[in-house]
Amino acid sequence: MSSRDLSQDQRDQLAKLAELPDSEIDILDIPEAPAENWIQARREQEKRRSQARRFS
């Protein structure tokens, strides 16, 4: 989905959210990710290196 797919109201809401400091964002209702979600996790830098090797 691109920003063109959003209504002006939705873009305004996102802009307001972007201005909020992290300390004002309530994350208590977001469940913690299970450990099995992290098995395949890699840092972005490592991901870029492996992609660069694949394309070279």
Side-chain angles (χ1 to χ4, degrees), residues 43-54:
R43 293 183 181 195
E44 187 63 29
Q45 186 177 17
E46 294 170 7
K47 186 177 173 182
R48 278 191 238 126
R49 275 192 224 135
S50 70
Q51 288 174 344
R53 279 185 242 142
R54 190 171 18 152

Side-chain angles (χ1 to χ4, degrees), residues 22-34:
D22 288 348
S23 61
E24 294 293 315
I25 299 172
D26 180 9
I27 59 170
L28 295 177
D29 61 339
I30 301 172
E32 189 171 329

Side-chain angles (χ1 to χ4, degrees), residues 2-55:
S2 72
S3 61
R4 288 177 275 166
D5 297 332
L6 300 174
S7 69
Q8 184 61 46
D9 185 50
Q10 290 170 320
R11 287 192 295 265
D12 292 344
Q13 288 177 15
L14 287 174
K16 285 181 185 178
L17 288 172
E19 293 173 5
L20 277 178
D22 288 348
S23 61
E24 294 293 315
I25 299 172
D26 180 9
I27 59 170
L28 295 177
D29 61 339
I30 301 172
E32 189 171 329
E36 55 268 8
N37 286 12
W38 298 102
I39 293 171
Q40 303 267 338
R42 295 190 312 191
R43 293 183 181 195
E44 187 63 29
Q45 186 177 17
E46 294 170 7
K47 186 177 173 182
R48 278 191 238 126
R49 275 192 224 135
S50 70
Q51 288 174 344
R53 279 185 242 142
R54 190 171 18 152
F55 293 117

